[in-house]
Amino acid sequence: MRLDVSNLRSGYGRVEVLHGLSFSVDSGTAVGLFGPNGHGKTTLLRTISGLVPATTGKIVFDGKDIAGANAEAVVDCGIVHVAQASTLFPRMTVLEALTLGAYRKAAWPHRRTSLKKVFSIFPRLAERRSQHCRTLSGGERQMAAIGVGLMGMPRLLMLDEPTLGLAPKIRQELARQIGLVAQTGVSLIVVDQDVDLLLGLCPRLYLIEKGIVALDIQDRNELKHQDIIQRYFGSAA
Amino acid sequence: MGSVIVAGLVSGSIYALIASGLSLVWGALGVFNFAHGVLLMMGAFAAWWVSDPAGLGLGLFAGIAASLIFMLAAGSILYALLVRPWIGTPAAELTVIMTTIAGAMFLENLALYTFGARLKALDQIVTGTVTIAGTAMHAQNLLVIILAPVLLCSLALFLKLSKHGLAIRAIAQNSEAARLLGIKVERTYFITFGVSALLAGIAGVMIGGLFNITPSMGNDPLLRAFLVVVFGGLGSLPGTIIAAYVIALIEATSSYYIGIYWTPVVLFSVLIAILLLRPNGLLGRSSS
């Protein structure tokens, strides 16, 4: 698995959000994306997953350019995107939603094994399996969303703000569980506002600002936490 | 009283089959298929043409089998020609009303032109009468009353357990999340229309065995099915099924005790009263 995004431009209608963004993800590693709101992190994930068409640039996944492919084709390649604050399927049970997560042809025959794996990472989902998704708490819903993503047996899993709006305690639990997901060998892209969380999970971080990669942090020891905070929030912080 | 209940259950079974197909398409695609009644008519004519000596004369069971296969194809073709080109365009739900009404008119007249206006009927699958709890009924009525719940349960199982059934519900509930799971939206739409047409065709065969087959036989059931879908709560399958039986039983009771001319007035009064109390229908959910 290798993802190379180069010179990617995309946006909504006439508004360009990504202005020639480049970054890459190596096999089996976790990459963290952070940066101010409205600077293109979510748009980047939506462009990779085929929800937003790329204007120009390349998204090369395992040697194949998937820029311009639709969402179905991207999932078929093994890239699964867990959307920000996804409500999943309100009137489906957790078990039904997880089962459907294995819709991808390559994942469907292995859905029982995948389910066991998901339940071992998120024991809470096993308890909630017959509850409708709409009745889940914020943290459980996020676990379900990640679990549904894992059911597709992704080679690259993209998580968009998995800890958004969660209480600190649940945030910690979720961070630990995302760590377990990373240990299964799947490559990860994690977008989050919580730089501490990203530092704990990802060997490599990118700061996305104004639609480009403003900073590529390959060795996190290189950069002190304070520097990131300063860069992120400006010198006033 | 017994015969009123039998009449209500027979109509309820048929309404439930027609309305659940309509509801399925509404849920997944967000459009109303006004050609749904014509699908029912085509199912009945297909079965008649294959089975009747005036057509191919292959017998009733060949006719029914052929009709079911024909309906899967008819539903897909109808979707491809009348619905698909407008999906994703602004105001698609309004455009599709026009295209499906146009298609329905064309097909109704095509049936009239091809088969003529003379009344036709399918043979009964089972003949004779059965007496249950002191009420005598045609065996065919009993068959419809038993078969419809079996079919509706199969539909529910298909939607709960199968990959494509889950996909239909996923698209109805959150289409973006569905696309992010790699659900083949186009294929799922075809399957939705195929299943919906199949249910309409089965209802057509049932009506064809109980009443007459005419080119306009689908119009009245379609109107009832709309009532049922709205009354049951848009997009709720259990609501649709309950509403089908409630409406049919109200109709049957009112026809018997108040009279057939006042029945629509009674029916609509009850519906309006209930929709005032529950604006989203019996089991409907609020749009939030």
Side-chain angles (χ1 to χ4, degrees), chain A residues 46 49 51 71-72 75-76 80-81 83 86-92 96 99-101 103-105 108 148, chain B residues 160-164 166-167 169-170 172-174 176-188 285:
Chain A
R46 290 173 66 86
S49 60
L51 290 178
E72 294 166 13
V75 175
D76 273 340
V80 173
H81 173 184
S86 175
T87 54
L88 283 172
F89 309 105
R91 293 175 304 290
M92 269 192 196
E96 286 172 342
T99 307
L100 195 62
Y103 183 93
R104 183 164 89 95
K105 201 177 279 171
W108 186 253
V148 167
Chain B
K160 282 194 89 61
L161 299 179
S162 79
K163 184 178 179 181
H164 296 300
L166 286 170
R169 288 169 60 210
Q173 294 181 22
N174 187 346
E176 184 169 296
R179 283 163 65 201
L180 286 178
L181 297 184
I183 286 173
K184 310 225 179 310
V185 176
E186 193 65 41
R187 180 192 295 177
T188 308
R285 55 192 184 273

Side-chain angles (χ1 to χ4, degrees), chain A:
Chain A
M1 183 329 291
R2 186 173 170 80
L3 178 77
D4 286 293
V5 172
S6 51
N7 244 326
L8 188 65
R9 287 174 184 273
S10 83
Y12 306 91
R14 259 176 278 173
V15 182
E16 192 180 83
V17 178
L18 302 181
H19 311 293
L21 186 148
S22 307
F23 83 111
S24 44
V25 183
D26 295 323
S27 180
T29 61
V31 159
L33 306 179
F34 67 106
N37 279 327
H39 283 234
K41 301 184 302 292
T42 295
T43 305
L44 172 60
L45 297 196
R46 290 173 66 86
T47 309
I48 295 173
S49 60
L51 290 178
V52 175
T55 335
T56 60
K58 281 184 176 166
I59 304 170
V60 180
F61 185 66
D62 282 346
K64 196 172 128 198
D65 189 2
I66 54 163
N70 63 17
E72 294 166 13
V74 172
V75 175
D76 273 340
C77 292
I79 301 181
V80 173
H81 173 184
V82 177
Q84 188 178 325
S86 175
T87 54
L88 283 172
F89 309 105
R91 293 175 304 290
M92 269 192 196
T93 65
V94 170
L95 186 62
E96 286 172 342
L98 287 170
T99 307
L100 195 62
Y103 183 93
R104 183 164 89 95
K105 201 177 279 171
W108 186 253
H110 308 290
R111 59 190 184 281
R112 277 172 231 287
T113 331
S114 306
L115 193 66
K116 276 194 199 122
K117 207 168 89 184
V118 169
F119 282 162
S120 73
I121 298 176
F122 303 105
R124 194 80 74 83
L125 294 182
E127 292 167 28
R128 299 277 186 261
R129 71 178 89 188
S130 45
Q131 251 175 262
H132 277 166
C133 294
R134 64 156 182 246
T135 65
L136 298 178
S137 71
E140 290 165 353
R141 191 172 295 179
Q142 197 56 54
M143 291 172 195
I146 298 173
V148 167
L150 280 177
M151 289 295 292
M153 299 175 75
R155 291 195 294 147
L156 172 62
L157 184 65
M158 307 194 289
L159 308 178
D160 195 353
E161 304 231 10
T163 66
L164 184 75
L166 299 181
K169 204 176 156 192
I170 302 168
R171 183 184 289 230
Q172 273 177 12
E173 190 186 347
L174 202 61
R176 187 185 60 82
Q177 288 163 331
I178 295 172
L180 293 178
V181 171
Q183 280 170 23
T184 63
V186 58
S187 309
L188 282 177
I189 297 179
V190 185
V191 170
D192 214 283
Q193 304 282 4
D194 186 344
V195 180
D196 280 328
L197 174 117
L198 295 182
L199 282 170
L201 277 173
C202 312
R204 190 169 186 178
L205 302 186
Y206 292 94
L207 169 62
I208 311 272
E209 219 173 44
K210 294 177 184 143
I212 56 161
V213 169
L215 201 58
D216 173 355
I217 307 158
Q218 296 216 35
D219 176 5
R220 58 189 170 203
N221 300 324
E222 233 172 57
L223 201 81
K224 287 196 189 99
H225 188 196
Q226 279 308 315
D227 296 341
I228 297 178
I229 295 293
Q230 196 173 41
R231 180 92 195 201
Y232 194 177
F233 294 106
S235 49

Side-chain angles (χ1 to χ4, degrees), chain B residues 21-32:
Chain B
L22 205 58
S23 170
L24 212 57
V25 167
W26 167 260
L29 287 89
V31 298
F32 259 132

Side-chain angles (χ1 to χ4, degrees), chain B residues 201-286:
Chain B
I202 294 170
V205 169
M206 285 180 173
I207 295 177
L210 293 170
F211 312 105
N212 291 313
I213 299 176
T214 68
S216 61
M217 68 185 281
N219 297 349
D220 211 40
L222 176 68
L223 190 66
R224 289 296 187 289
F226 275 117
L227 287 185
V228 166
V229 170
V230 174
F231 181 59
L234 283 173
S236 159
L237 191 65
T240 301
I241 292 169
I242 294 169
Y245 285 99
V246 169
I247 284 182
L249 286 167
I250 292 175
E251 265 189 335
T253 316
S254 159
S255 307
Y256 186 78
Y257 291 104
I258 300 173
I260 200 157
Y261 289 108
W262 283 97
T263 291
V265 178
V266 171
L267 183 63
F268 277 97
S269 305
V270 173
L271 291 189
I272 290 168
I274 290 180
L275 287 174
L276 278 174
L277 295 172
R278 293 191 60 84
N280 296 308
L282 281 182
L283 294 187
R285 55 192 184 273
S286 58

